[in-house]
Amino acid sequence: MIVMKFGGTSVEDAAAMRQVIEIVRRKRALSPIVVASAMAKITDTLIRCAQLAHQGHEDDAQRLLNETVAARHRDAAAQLVTTEPQRSVLLERIDHHLNELRTLLHGLAILGELSPRSLDTVASYGERLSTLILAAAMREAGLDAELLDARQFIITDDRFTKATPLMDLSAPRARALLLPVLHRGAIPVTQGFIGATPHGITTTLGRGGSDYSAAIIGALLDADAIEIWTDVDGILTTDPKLVPHARLLESVTFQEAAELAYFGAKVLHPSTILPAVEKNIPVYVYNTKNPKSPGTRITAREAQPTPPGTLKAIAYKQGITVINIYSTRMLLAHGFLHAIFEVFDRFETSVDLLATSEVSVSLTIDDTRHLDKIVSELQKFSTVTVERERAIICLVGEGMKHTPGIAARAFGAIRDININMISQGASEINLSFIVHEADVPTVIQRLHREFFER
Ligand code: ASP
Ligand code: MG
């Protein structure tokens, strides 16, 4: 059995859903469970509607609902399901959902409140509508699809808008509801992103939570694989905007994916697939718009260890600010780091790279909203300089462990470029350093040539 998750762009309209149906059809023999996101942008729109209503702009909220949410779903449904009475039944069900949404928005407007709990209920309609249509469209196309409400088996705590699944409560329910459907040869279709508390109150797993749902369902049922169908081919050796011939990676480890995620290898957020990785279930990333592409596999460990000295990918992140902090009072030495981190903590600004010496600390941030306040707090016990328009360059690969030659090769390839803050994480699978933003294209191109084109 496999779990196939389709993201928002994969179900954004009738044409996209037709693609999905053909992809699922080809995998039918593997007993797929289909998990879908809301149509692209619908979650944002629903949240916007809820905010408008609670701010007292109910007319705008209802108009937005009608012009986008209602129109897009009714339109896709009408294109995908043309047989009667299925078509009328589907349109009626959609209207039923939409009417509930209208009532909810009216309620928010009257109460003038918008709790996380209400927000989750409103947001849940995105996935409930998209899967309602997808399941009906699959049946119309000759696939025996059965719609299951994820809120009956993804049981979560009650931290609304970022709920955590309660695996022990969910497991028996998932088995009881999903397995019989698979056993009779049908295809379960369910919602990503949503769940419910043990008392049946709707929750969501956080924005982008459908990948998480797929991993949870795969882990609960011991799936053979989880397929994340999205709108990119997979993970590449580097950014194709800078190196057009960047290569698609056949496989990466979970650790490598985690290192790359920070650099906006925007394929998926690795923490969301943790439930699958912990159970050793491979996760594949595929492109719905280019289904022939082989995709990238993410696994807990490499099937075959990468040869020492080989890299997987070169990532970068621009818009980095370096803050250099020099201790002015030796007496404070033992409490220096603590004092520094306390300041960043207070301003909820996360620190990414860090390099220290006895008397100074350099660190990087990418969120500069509180930079001025942070600097003036730090100046109470240190001398501070700030360098803007920097970038982090990061080499990633399990093959870097215990292979010192990599640094020499990397720095040799860019020996004429000014770099600083060289650091290697504890996992030893990344080597990062800072360059000036303007040097990024040259650095990435030369490193790619050095490590991937020879
Ligand atoms: N529809 C939800 C969101 O946009 C969940 C997802 O797409 O994964 O955040
Ligand atoms: Mg989405």
Side-chain angles (χ1 to χ4, degrees):
M1 175 252 301
I2 63 170
V3 177
M4 302 178 80
K5 179 261 169 173
F6 294 92
T9 53
S10 300
V11 294
E12 65 189 345
D13 55 20
M17 287 205 197
R18 283 203 182 94
Q19 271 279 44
V20 167
I21 292 167
E22 290 322 305
I23 290 167
V24 174
R25 196 195 299 281
R26 287 198 287 270
K27 301 266 182 165
R28 213 176 159 181
L30 300 174
S31 302
I33 295 173
V34 172
V35 176
S37 292
M39 286 177 158
K41 303 262 159 62
I42 289 294
T43 309
D44 288 335
T45 307
L46 289 170
I47 291 172
R48 182 84 195 113
C49 288
Q51 285 164 343
L52 283 169
H54 120 98
Q55 289 158 1
H57 308 294
E58 193 195 340
D59 290 350
D60 295 337
Q62 302 286 7
R63 193 176 322 115
L64 185 59
L65 186 76
N66 288 333
E67 285 171 4
T68 59
V69 182
R72 283 180 61 196
H73 290 94
R74 291 185 58 91
D75 188 51
Q79 287 185 54
L80 288 162
V81 179
T82 51
T83 319
E84 287 295 356
Q86 287 85 337
R87 176 195 174 98
S88 310
V89 171
L90 175 61
L91 289 172
E92 253 169 53
R93 290 205 177 123
I94 292 173
D95 283 344
H96 183 77
H97 281 69
L98 292 167
N99 283 333
E100 284 180 2
L101 268 169
R102 291 184 185 108
T103 310
L104 273 166
L105 293 179
H106 185 57
L108 295 176
I110 290 181
L111 293 168
E113 72 94 48
L114 183 57
S115 63
R117 172 173 162 168
S118 312
L119 203 56
D120 275 355
T121 297
V122 172
S124 74
Y125 281 85
E127 272 70 9
R128 287 157 63 195
L129 282 162
S130 68
T131 51
L132 180 64
I133 298 169
L134 181 62
M138 286 169 71
R139 287 192 293 273
E140 175 94 358
L143 293 174
D144 187 2
E146 184 170 328
L147 182 63
L148 294 170
D149 191 328
R151 295 173 298 172
Q152 306 207 304
F153 58 88
I154 302 286
I155 308 304
T156 72
D157 63 14
D158 61 1
R159 292 171 60 226
F160 296 101
T161 73
K162 45 179 182 305
T164 302
L166 305 170
M167 298 298 266
D168 291 346
L169 286 181
S170 304
R173 299 216 203 176
R175 270 187 233 116
L177 288 167
L178 292 157
L179 295 182
V181 178
L182 289 170
H183 286 151
R184 61 177 180 80
I187 304 174
V189 176
T190 193
Q191 302 85 21
F193 183 51
I194 71 173
T197 66
H199 297 294
I201 312 296
T202 301
T203 56
T204 69
L205 304 174
R207 293 306 309 273
S210 294
D211 294 339
Y212 196 21
S213 301
I216 293 163
I217 294 168
L220 290 173
L221 299 180
D222 277 312
D224 298 308
I226 293 163
E227 300 185 353
I228 305 289
W229 288 83
T230 175
D231 51 11
V232 294
D233 281 346
I235 301 177
L236 302 175
T237 49
T238 197
D239 181 357
K241 281 196 242 63
L242 297 183
V243 180
H245 50 281
R247 277 194 286 112
L248 180 67
L249 291 164
E250 188 195 320
S251 78
V252 298
T253 64
F254 175 75
Q255 285 283 354
E256 290 169 338
E259 298 283 356
L260 290 168
Y262 168 75
F263 295 93
K266 207 172 99 285
V267 178
L268 49 75
H269 203 284
S271 61
T272 62
I273 59 162
L274 203 53
V277 172
E278 280 170 346
K279 285 206 139 186
N280 246 320
I281 302 170
V283 176
Y284 294 83
V285 177
Y286 293 122
N287 189 351
T288 308
K289 312 262 143 111
N290 182 18
K292 293 218 164 63
S293 170
T296 298
R297 185 179 66 236
I298 306 170
T299 50
R301 279 176 296 283
E302 293 275 24
Q304 291 131 358
T306 16
T310 52
L311 277 193
K312 278 296 178 54
I314 305 165
Y316 67 92
K317 190 173 180 111
Q318 287 171 306
I320 297 294
T321 298
V322 176
I323 306 175
N324 303 303
I325 308 154
Y326 305 89
S327 170
T328 42
R329 281 191 273 151
M330 283 307 287
L331 269 184
L332 201 66
H334 72 279
F336 190 43
L337 280 178
H338 176 82
I340 291 171
F341 280 112
E342 193 279 318
V343 172
F344 285 89
D345 193 44
R346 189 154 17 112
F347 292 101
E348 290 176 2
T349 299
S350 71
V351 168
D352 299 313
L353 279 198
L354 179 71
T356 69
S357 79
E358 203 66 33
V359 291
S360 73
V361 173
S362 296
L363 48 78
T364 69
I365 60 172
D366 58 18
D367 171 5
T368 53
R369 275 176 302 161
H370 304 298
L371 181 62
D372 292 344
K373 279 177 258 158
I374 288 171
V375 168
S376 63
E377 284 302 306
L378 292 171
Q379 279 169 337
K380 291 184 181 162
F381 58 89
S382 59
T383 306
V384 180
T385 63
V386 173
E387 299 164 16
R388 294 167 198 266
E389 291 170 23
R390 300 299 138 118
I392 302 179
I393 305 283
C394 182
L395 314 185
V396 176
E398 303 270 358
M400 288 172 63
K401 277 185 188 157
H402 321 299
T403 41
I406 297 231
R409 275 175 75 190
F411 299 138
I414 51 171
R415 62 170 66 84
D416 54 325
I417 287 169
N418 200 15
I419 65 174
N420 52 49
M421 279 188 75
I422 299 164
S423 66
Q424 184 168 45
S427 62
E428 282 192 57
I429 67 165
N430 82 64
L431 178 71
S432 305
F433 52 88
I434 298 294
V435 300
H436 206 282
E437 234 172 29
D439 289 328
V440 166
T442 315
V443 169
I444 294 292
Q445 282 151 9
R446 288 216 213 139
L447 291 174
H448 197 269
R449 203 174 307 138
E450 173 67 30
F451 289 101
F452 296 103
E453 302 168 38
R454 279 155 58 126

